Amino acid sequence: MDHFIYGRRFAEVDEVTAVVHDFIRSKPTKFYGDITHSVHEKRKKLIGNNVNFFVKVPEKCIIGEEGRGFFYQMLQFQDERLVAAAVLLEPLQRCISLTADYARDRKIFGSTVLEQQTVQFTLAELQSELEAVRALLYRAVLSRLHGDDVTLLASMAKLKAGRLARVVTDSCLQFWGGNGFTWDNPVCRMHRDLRLHSVGAGADEVMLSIICKYMGIAPPKPRF
């Protein structure tokens, strides 16, 4: 099925407010059975990813127990954050590799872009940072498989992967020059799309708050 529905009932109406994610690219949004469309939000970044809020669905389409949607979301957040970090490894590696190949072929003022030491050092630094995030993620996943609480490691991995995505895509885009700003350039698209990973599944600031809590340095919440 193309959609995932998380819903709760409004007390005044016999309907459900739901969030529907349509991940089918290059297709119009589809709704099934009694589901009706209410509001459509156009995303600025993710091409072909439609997210629809406030659609009405019948009670029979509720997934799980009514009123427990937020609880279900919290239960799966650590796995989602591990996945959010994991799915960045390949595109970031591709971003670095594509940039190295382009810089190797692109000639300016009698030499290639890759012959400039600053380009070499930048790509080497990015590759090193990527491997560090990969090692952190592997450690977190191994702990998860052992049944340990991975809230701290998952938050760290998600934080560092999301921030690295911004650094890698921005740094690599610089070496493509004006060509890097063309709409169909793969690095340009990664620069747009991967920015989401510092926001989705918990923003960087949320990850930092969790890390502070586990370190025991977060201030106590005021009691009223």
Side-chain angles (χ1 to χ4, degrees):
M1 188 174 180
D2 299 338
H3 303 86
F4 302 90
I5 303 171
Y6 310 88
R8 69 176 180 83
R9 182 194 299 273
F10 277 135
E12 64 273 17
V13 293
D14 188 24
E15 293 168 326
V16 175
T17 296
V19 178
V20 178
H21 297 267
D22 183 2
F23 293 103
I24 304 302
R25 296 190 180 276
S26 303
K27 289 184 179 180
T29 302
K30 297 182 295 184
F31 295 89
Y32 296 88
D34 299 324
I35 301 176
T36 57
H37 181 222
S38 176
V39 178
H40 175 262
E41 175 184 342
K42 183 177 181 181
R43 288 294 175 97
K44 293 182 179 179
K45 295 290 183 181
L46 295 179
I47 302 173
N49 185 4
N50 295 326
V51 179
N52 299 275
F53 295 95
F54 305 116
V55 298
K56 297 178 180 180
V57 299
E59 184 178 3
K60 64 183 180 181
C61 293
I62 296 178
I63 297 176
E65 183 181 346
E66 182 180 326
R68 300 278 287 175
F70 183 77
F71 176 76
Y72 296 145
Q73 180 77 335
M74 293 301 102
L75 285 178
Q76 62 83 43
F77 248 145
Q78 305 319 317
D79 288 343
E80 181 180 355
R81 286 164 181 166
L82 290 176
V83 171
V87 298
L88 283 174
L89 297 181
E90 179 58 29
L92 292 184
Q93 182 61 69
R94 182 167 180 258
C95 186
I96 295 171
S97 299
L98 286 174
T99 301
D101 291 340
Y102 177 80
R104 185 178 291 110
D105 295 334
R106 175 64 171 166
K107 290 186 177 181
I108 53 173
F109 304 115
S111 62
T112 67
V113 173
L114 193 59
E115 289 177 324
Q116 307 302 315
Q117 192 177 65
T118 183
V119 177
Q120 299 168 13
F121 282 4
T122 298
L123 294 178
E125 184 79 24
L126 296 177
Q127 187 68 55
S128 300
E129 293 291 337
L130 180 58
E131 293 307 319
V133 170
R134 191 191 308 274
L136 173 59
L137 175 64
Y138 285 1
R139 179 189 171 192
V141 171
L142 185 60
S143 295
R144 174 69 176 83
L145 293 175
H146 288 164
D148 300 332
D149 178 9
V150 295
T151 302
L152 177 60
L153 291 177
S155 300
M156 290 177 171
K158 200 269 183 185
L159 171 71
K160 297 302 292 184
R163 289 190 167 182
L164 183 60
R166 293 151 66 180
V167 173
V168 168
T169 55
D170 187 72
S171 299
C172 288
L173 186 66
Q174 185 72 17
F175 299 141
W176 287 74
N179 189 27
F181 280 85
T182 55
W183 186 256
D184 58 350
N185 184 291
V187 174
C188 182
R189 175 160 184 176
M190 283 186 259
H191 187 269
R192 297 192 305 268
D193 288 356
L194 300 187
R195 182 61 177 83
L196 172 64
H197 287 262
S198 282
V199 179
D204 286 358
E205 292 75 16
V206 176
M207 299 301 99
L208 288 168
S209 296
I210 294 172
I211 294 169
C212 288
K213 179 180 178 181
Y214 272 76
M215 292 176 63
I217 60 175
K221 293 183 179 180
R223 295 183 178 181
F224 298 98

